[in-house]
Amino acid sequence: MKNIKDYDLNELKEELINLGEKPFRAEQIFKWLYQEKVKDFSEMTNLSLELREKLKQNYTICNFKILRKQKSKDGTIKYLFDVLDGNAIETVLMSYHHGYSICVSSQIGCKMGCKFCASTGINFIRSLSSGEIVEQILAVEQDTGVRISNVVFMGIGEPLDNYDNVINSIRIINNPKGLNIGARHISISTSGLVPKIYKLAEENIPCTLSISLHATNNAKRSEMMPVNNTYPIEELIKACKDYIEKTNRRISFEYALAKDNNDNQEDAKELVKLLKGMLCHVNLIPINKIENGTFDKSSNENIMKFRDYLNDHGIVATIRRELGSDIDAACGQLRRKNLQNSENIGLK
Ligand code: SAH
């Protein structure tokens, strides 16, 4: 049976028409799911008992179970959810002065193989459905009672490798009758799947595009990110320029600074050359060392020097605040844990 949260509003209208119902029922169902946040069809009290029964016969409502929840000193909360097929995913809630941000996973595992990322080295299992992406937000809102205002696709997985489901989930998240989170408050982060960047530029979704760049020449970038062998820097930058031209939206380049690898003045100089004149912003991330990882965090002094060099040379750069590192919830620390482990530690 299909998960009812997999449909955007237009698709759900089609579904209802196929069930012999009026399309406006889809709007009522949307309101129950995403505004009232009910967990069962029986709670949709402005629908007839007959329709509620029909829905129950035809769809499931996926409600994730929390397998594990960890709270950081800085208020960040990491969830391990049971996605109901024996797999588990991680989602992170962060609190900023401007509101709550959620970092969602888009796949169970990841195929990209970035050398510095903890999601590497675990098996790729499958992509998440739209409903499973949306459910991460619902489950966290239900658990905490907070209203989430920002969504970043920076959890486990490569969102552009799960293109259709990610776009569909954004339609649900963004819909005023759905979760009603503005597209400008939604960011997709990609390791650089060039054809999908061109495709995204054609969608009418003004979300923020973040590019995980991390290096300024192909030798270094391929060393860190195997995807660069398929889509080298020149092609990536060309796609980014096309994206900016078509959407008139600023791109955010992520640059994780690793000691003695990509953090010296020469790298900063090359980065300026690469991005000069583009409508963009650079987000510097102090790299989080992963278990047995080869990359170490740059010193604070180097990070600030790197930032200052960029700012002094016309590239707007900020250093990302590190949240949740004490609970392994910071950038690149997420790792799909299997149910077996969670059961072993008695948290089920
Ligand atoms: N696959 C997507 C989204 C998931 S990763 C992507 O590559 O963009 C989210 C961000 O965290 C990316 O910018 C990624 O490069 C960065 N990241 C991964 N591992 C990291 C680490 N160990 N330290 C700092 N940032 C890391």
Side-chain angles (χ1 to χ4, degrees), residues 216-337:
T216 53
N217 62 63
N218 285 323
K220 217 176 257 188
R221 192 165 189 269
S222 294
E223 182 72 21
M224 299 173 83
M225 307 173 71
V227 65
N228 193 69
N229 291 313
T230 315
Y231 303 115
I233 293 182
E234 313 74 65
E235 286 182 30
L236 177 59
I237 295 294
K238 200 162 146 237
C240 290
K241 287 185 173 159
D242 172 85
Y243 183 88
I244 295 168
E245 199 185 299
K246 290 212 175 104
T247 63
N248 210 15
R249 298 206 42 83
R250 177 185 304 265
I251 286 186
S252 171
F253 287 97
E254 314 290 305
Y255 195 99
L257 289 154
K259 189 169 170 240
D260 300 330
N261 174 58
N262 62 353
D263 67 340
N264 65 39
Q265 290 296 96
E266 210 38 52
D267 294 294
K269 211 165 158 182
E270 276 194 42
L271 190 56
V272 169
K273 241 198 266 163
L274 194 65
L275 303 182
K276 195 94 208 172
M278 282 172 84
L279 182 62
C280 70
H281 167 263
V282 173
N283 215 332
L284 298 171
I285 318 173
I287 210 163
N288 289 299
K289 189 177 168 75
I290 56 164
E291 221 176 278
N292 303 322
T294 44
F295 299 105
D296 289 316
K297 189 173 282 185
S298 297
S299 65
N300 284 345
E301 195 195 333
N302 262 7
I303 294 172
M304 284 191 288
K305 257 169 65 188
F306 202 96
R307 177 200 56 195
D308 294 343
Y309 185 91
L310 297 181
N311 283 331
D312 290 346
H313 290 81
I315 305 281
V316 183
T318 47
I319 300 170
R320 176 174 300 164
R321 235 178 92 208
E322 286 178 275
L323 291 175
S325 52
D326 56 330
I327 53 165
D328 285 346
C331 291
Q333 293 186 323
L334 297 190
R335 233 184 123 71
R336 175 187 61 84
K337 306 229 170 59

Side-chain angles (χ1 to χ4, degrees), residues 44 46 55 109 115 193 211 228 236 259 268 292 312 326 345:
M44 302 184 176
N46 60 356
L55 292 173
K115 295 275 165 39
L193 299 189
I211 303 287
N228 193 69
L236 177 59
K259 189 169 170 240
N292 303 322
D312 290 346
D326 56 330
I345 50 177

Side-chain angles (χ1 to χ4, degrees), residues 116-117 154-155 157-158 189-191 212 214 254 285 287-288 331-332:
F116 46 84
C117 180
M154 292 195 184
E158 167 50 54
S189 180
T190 180
S191 56
S212 298
H214 305 320
E254 314 290 305
I285 318 173
I287 210 163
N288 289 299
C331 291

Side-chain angles (χ1 to χ4, degrees), residues 83-258:
V83 300
L84 314 176
D85 68 350
N87 286 302
I89 51 160
E90 288 179 297
T91 305
V92 179
L93 177 71
M94 294 158 292
S95 155
Y96 291 98
H97 59 271
H98 57 265
Y100 288 94
S101 279
I102 190 169
C103 177
V104 294
S105 292
S106 54
Q107 297 182 312
I108 305 177
C110 186
K111 300 179 206 160
M112 296 301 123
C114 300
K115 295 275 165 39
F116 46 84
C117 180
S119 299
T120 293
I122 53 172
N123 287 339
F124 173 81
I125 299 193
R126 65 172 174 87
S127 283
L128 295 176
S129 73
S130 319
E132 289 171 326
I133 294 169
V134 173
E135 174 59 13
Q136 295 172 60
I137 305 172
L138 284 173
V140 170
E141 286 193 338
Q142 279 158 346
D143 181 57
T144 56
V146 306
R147 157 100 175 113
I148 288 165
S149 50
N150 285 280
V151 179
V152 298
F153 284 83
M154 292 195 184
I156 298 171
E158 167 50 54
L160 296 189
D161 185 42
N162 183 17
Y163 188 89
D164 293 341
N165 292 346
V166 165
I167 294 299
N168 214 40
S169 74
I170 292 177
R171 295 194 199 288
I172 301 168
I173 295 167
N174 184 221
N175 195 306
K177 298 194 166 96
L179 282 167
N180 194 20
I181 299 176
R184 287 180 167 72
H185 297 275
I186 303 171
S187 297
I188 297 183
S189 180
T190 180
S191 56
L193 299 189
V194 165
K196 298 293 167 55
I197 296 172
Y198 284 107
K199 201 167 169 195
L200 188 63
E202 303 292 336
E203 307 276 354
N204 194 16
I205 303 179
C207 59
T208 301
L209 178 62
S210 292
I211 303 287
S212 298
L213 186 62
H214 305 320
T216 53
N217 62 63
N218 285 323
K220 217 176 257 188
R221 192 165 189 269
S222 294
E223 182 72 21
M224 299 173 83
M225 307 173 71
V227 65
N228 193 69
N229 291 313
T230 315
Y231 303 115
I233 293 182
E234 313 74 65
E235 286 182 30
L236 177 59
I237 295 294
K238 200 162 146 237
C240 290
K241 287 185 173 159
D242 172 85
Y243 183 88
I244 295 168
E245 199 185 299
K246 290 212 175 104
T247 63
N248 210 15
R249 298 206 42 83
R250 177 185 304 265
I251 286 186
S252 171
F253 287 97
E254 314 290 305
Y255 195 99
L257 289 154

